[in-house]
Amino acid sequence: MMIKISAGLERAFATGGFHEPSVEDLRDAAGVSLRTLYKYVPSRDDMVHAALEYRNGRYLEHVFQDLPKAPEEALETILERVAKWMETEASHGCLFHEAVAASPKDVRLRELLMRHKSEFACKAAKAVGMRHAQLELMLILEGLMQNWPLFHEAALEASKRLGLALLRAD
């Protein structure tokens, strides 16, 4: 039941932002009664967290499932999958950043954002054999995500050049 609710909440926040959807909109998106919604996620803050936790799992699976073993191929695949995600799931930018922007004083949201970004960076660095350059790799990936809405394929190609240069300099 929690997966169904979280998936619906993710869709609602991804399409309507974090201020616009009413509790009734969130209930409808989750496909449950108001009583069931509050049983599993007792507050709007909990609804945001449940949606983002669900999104984190989907995103990590999308990017890291069945990567090639060769570091250069793995890096290119990661970047291409991030671009594909941006194209199909996040045309306005990172939903985690959007959530923090909507509630900048929410410490739990900031911690969730940091955990999401750290987990992603760690997995990416491990997949391409660059654990010592985790921050540098994360800056390239974040640059792709932040610039995708403006530059699309050009952002992907620039990210590939930077990522491969970093990998080869290693």
Side-chain angles (χ1 to χ4, degrees):
M1 180 63 69
M2 190 60 193
I3 291 172
K4 175 186 175 184
I5 291 171
S6 297
L9 293 171
E10 179 205 6
R11 281 190 306 277
F13 289 126
T15 58
F18 290 94
H19 291 296
E20 190 167 317
S22 67
V23 173
E24 290 76 20
D25 294 333
L26 296 172
R27 175 205 61 211
D28 293 346
V32 296
S33 69
L34 196 56
R35 179 182 177 134
T36 300
L37 179 63
Y38 278 120
K39 175 182 174 185
Y40 286 92
V41 281
S43 72
R44 188 178 183 93
D45 286 346
D46 292 330
M47 292 177 199
V48 170
H49 287 269
L52 291 175
E53 290 286 357
Y54 180 77
R55 189 171 185 92
N56 183 54
R58 280 194 333 108
Y59 182 63
L60 293 176
E61 183 177 336
H62 170 80
V63 173
F64 295 109
Q65 185 175 359
D66 300 323
L67 284 175
K69 298 292 182 210
E72 285 189 12
E73 290 177 41
L75 178 61
E76 286 195 19
T77 300
I78 289 168
L79 291 166
E80 288 165 359
R81 289 177 181 175
V82 168
K84 183 66 174 173
W85 179 272
M86 297 305 295
E87 179 182 354
T88 60
E89 301 279 342
S91 60
H92 302 295
C94 176
L95 196 62
F96 288 82
H97 282 293
E98 188 179 329
V100 169
S103 297
K105 295 180 181 178
D106 187 327
V107 175
R108 280 181 58 210
L109 270 181
R110 285 190 175 282
E111 289 171 354
L112 182 58
L113 170 65
M114 286 297 295
R115 185 172 50 81
H116 165 69
K117 297 298 182 180
S118 295
E119 185 177 2
F120 182 78
C122 183
K123 284 181 170 289
K126 181 180 177 185
V128 300
M130 295 177 59
R131 290 184 185 188
H132 63 284
Q134 186 173 320
L135 179 58
E136 292 87 342
L137 184 57
M138 190 65 212
L139 290 172
I140 293 168
L141 291 160
E142 282 292 307
L144 171 58
M145 288 181 262
Q146 293 303 314
N147 285 286
W148 178 262
L150 298 172
F151 300 107
H152 305 283
E153 290 295 321
L156 173 60
E157 294 308 315
S159 297
K160 284 182 180 181
R161 286 191 303 275
L162 290 169
L164 291 172
L166 180 64
L167 186 63
R168 291 174 183 146
D170 194 30

